[in-house]
Structure formats: structure tokens, C-alpha cells
Amino acid sequence: MSSSRALSAWLDYYRVPLRDALDCCRSDGFRLIVPNTAAPELDPVAMGRTARRHLAKHLQSIGLRIPSLATEFSGNGLADSTYSDRRLDHLRSALELARDLSASRASVRIAGLADERSSSLANEMLAHAAELSDRTGIILSVHGSTRDTKPLIQQIRQLNCPTLRLALDTAAVCATSQTGLGSIDCLGELFLRDGRLHGDHFEETAFGSGEVDFAQVLSAAESSEVETVAVIRRDTPSGVDALRRGREYISSVLGHKT
């Protein structure tokens, strides 16, 4: 991950219909995108083979590529006791969609490992996710809440599945800043956001205005055993050019590192 050309856009940010969002990405200078299959237009359960072929052909025609496909439901993600079975089926279909769209990676939210009330289900869903990843051959990176990072790393290493990795949201870097992030050999995906941590709440800011040490984050990515997918992300609205400015800022950090 030594080039700004490797930076991907978080497609959900644009909050417009799919084709318009793709045009926004191209206008902002991105050629790599990470869509979220929790969005209705990309629901892999409802998307038939014809629709998948049309989307793959359209992406190729406009010069965009999907390195990773996200499955990010709200709350605890897969580890939601009300929807866990349905969401696990969704992930299964999402990994098949990733393969159909020539994406070798995917990510999923499984939160609650650090909470004794939800840790059992979260660990069960993590084991299921590892099995699906191994079966499909799609590298699957998992992330949770800011408090879940350390237990996630421990469980991923314990499961010892070569295709199961950690997806690190930079909100977790703020949460672990007192002890330092160190090297993470199981890292597979980076969600790059800037902001400040207020208790358990991460308040997003413009890139370069928050407390995230991106040089530290990028150094951690270099220690991973596999190439890391880096995603310029913002979840709160902040103008049409927020991702473009994020790409420019992270590119400048990368330039200083090389």
C-alpha cells in the first residue's frame, strides 16, 4: 500500500443511487470502490445472475474495480441475536457476489466480543464467518466496536484460518492510543477515518483535523502478512468532496512515508 492509486472509496458515503455514486467516485479521482451489500441496490440475496453480469460489465466499462465488498449491518452486525441467521445467509450470498464481481476480498461487522452479554454469539458468528471465508476462498476481514479490536485479534489468531483477517477502523487507533497499536500481522483491511474519541463515541472530523496518527496506522498495515485494502471512509455527511480531500490527505501521508 505504497501508492495513492491503491486507495479505495467507501461508496455508501455518497447517499445517492448506485449509478450516481459510481459517477461521484470517478469524479473524485477514485478507481477502486468498496460498496456495502447492506444497501438495498446491492442486496446479494435479491441480485440474480443477470443483474450481477450487468453490474460487472458496467464497472469495467467506466474503469472502476471492487477490491473488497463490505457487509456492514448496524449494531452488532452479524452478532445481532434477532437477525443473526438472516445476516449470516446474507454474508454467504455476499461472498458469492464478491466472486462474481472479481473481488478477492470482503469485510463484515461482528461486534460485541468485548461485552460478556454478546461475546458468545459474536464468537459463534466469527467461527461461521471463518468457515465461509475458507470455503469460498474470499479473504474476509472482520471489524467490530472500538473495544473489540484486541479480542478480535486474539480470536482471529486462535481460529488460524488463513483467509480470515482483521478490518481495522481508525476509530480503534484512538481507543488504543495509550498503549500504541504496534504491528498487526493479521490485518487485511483499513477503514481510514479521522476524528476524536469522546468516551465510546468517535466524532468524525475532516482528514488532518482529528487525533488519528495515520503514519502509525500505515506502518501497522505494512506489518501485515497480506496486502491491506485501504478505504477512505466517512460516515457523517460533510460535503460532496470529503472523500476526495481524504484521498489527497492520505496520499500526502503516503508520500512522506516513501
Side-chain angles (χ1 to χ4, degrees), residues 235-254:
D235 292 344
T236 54
S238 181
V240 294
D241 62 349
L243 293 195
R244 176 180 59 79
R245 293 188 179 210
R247 178 180 57 80
E248 292 170 350
Y249 178 79
I250 297 299
S251 297
S252 70
V253 174
L254 286 168

Side-chain angles (χ1 to χ4, degrees), residues 168-233:
L168 180 66
D169 189 316
T170 47
V173 178
C174 286
T176 59
S177 58
Q178 291 183 345
T179 57
L181 190 61
S183 62
I184 304 178
D185 55 358
C186 61
L187 189 64
E189 196 147 334
L190 270 174
F191 293 123
L192 298 169
R193 299 190 292 157
D194 206 354
R196 300 180 181 88
L197 200 65
H198 299 285
D200 288 335
H201 174 67
F202 184 73
E203 179 186 349
E204 289 185 322
T205 67
F207 281 85
S209 301
E211 298 173 346
V212 175
D213 185 343
F214 286 102
Q216 179 192 29
V217 174
L218 297 171
S219 293
E222 290 173 355
S223 69
S224 179
E225 295 174 350
V226 299
E227 184 178 356
T228 302
V229 175
V231 187
I232 304 296
R233 176 167 177 168

Side-chain angles (χ1 to χ4, degrees), residues 1-252:
M1 196 184 60
S2 59
S3 170
S4 63
R5 290 174 295 179
L7 298 173
S8 302
W10 180 249
L11 196 66
D12 260 12
Y13 174 76
Y14 294 102
R15 293 175 172 80
V16 294
L18 178 60
R19 297 238 172 177
D20 294 335
L22 297 177
D23 289 339
C24 289
C25 283
R26 294 178 72 243
S27 297
D28 281 343
F30 289 96
R31 292 298 175 263
L32 302 175
I33 60 170
V34 175
N36 182 12
T37 66
E41 281 189 279
L42 282 168
D43 183 350
V45 178
M47 187 179 291
R49 293 188 179 278
T50 300
R52 296 180 183 206
R53 285 197 299 269
H54 285 169
L55 177 57
K57 185 176 181 180
H58 179 64
L59 290 170
Q60 185 177 25
S61 71
I62 61 175
L64 290 178
R65 185 170 67 84
I66 299 176
S68 180
L69 198 62
T71 295
E72 184 159 329
F73 291 105
S74 60
N76 281 352
L78 248 60
D80 184 309
S81 58
T82 304
Y83 305 109
S84 58
D85 289 342
R86 185 187 309 171
R87 290 180 176 182
L88 188 61
D89 287 339
H90 183 107
L91 176 62
R92 184 178 295 107
S93 296
L95 296 182
E96 294 170 356
L97 176 60
R99 192 166 49 199
D100 291 341
L101 297 177
S102 300
S104 61
R105 310 286 192 95
S107 67
V108 65
R109 178 175 174 82
I110 303 177
L113 273 83
D115 187 336
E116 63 180 13
R117 296 168 298 180
S118 54
S119 60
S120 177
L121 179 58
N123 278 299
E124 180 184 346
M125 289 298 107
L126 188 61
H128 284 308
E131 181 183 359
L132 288 175
S133 175
D134 182 63
R135 186 187 310 165
T136 60
I138 299 293
I139 296 174
L140 181 62
S141 298
V142 183
H143 70 109
S145 71
T146 56
R147 296 192 299 126
D148 287 324
T149 304
K150 289 184 178 179
L152 258 177
I153 292 173
Q154 292 171 354
Q155 288 301 108
I156 288 170
R157 287 172 174 165
Q158 185 172 331
L159 285 167
N160 196 28
C161 174
T163 55
L164 189 69
R165 317 294 297 178
L166 174 73
L168 180 66
D169 189 316
T170 47
V173 178
C174 286
T176 59
S177 58
Q178 291 183 345
T179 57
L181 190 61
S183 62
I184 304 178
D185 55 358
C186 61
L187 189 64
E189 196 147 334
L190 270 174
F191 293 123
L192 298 169
R193 299 190 292 157
D194 206 354
R196 300 180 181 88
L197 200 65
H198 299 285
D200 288 335
H201 174 67
F202 184 73
E203 179 186 349
E204 289 185 322
T205 67
F207 281 85
S209 301
E211 298 173 346
V212 175
D213 185 343
F214 286 102
Q216 179 192 29
V217 174
L218 297 171
S219 293
E222 290 173 355
S223 69
S224 179
E225 295 174 350
V226 299
E227 184 178 356
T228 302
V229 175
V231 187
I232 304 296
R233 176 167 177 168
R234 183 149 184 157
D235 292 344
T236 54
S238 181
V240 294
D241 62 349
L243 293 195
R244 176 180 59 79
R245 293 188 179 210
R247 178 180 57 80
E248 292 170 350
Y249 178 79
I250 297 299
S251 297
S252 70

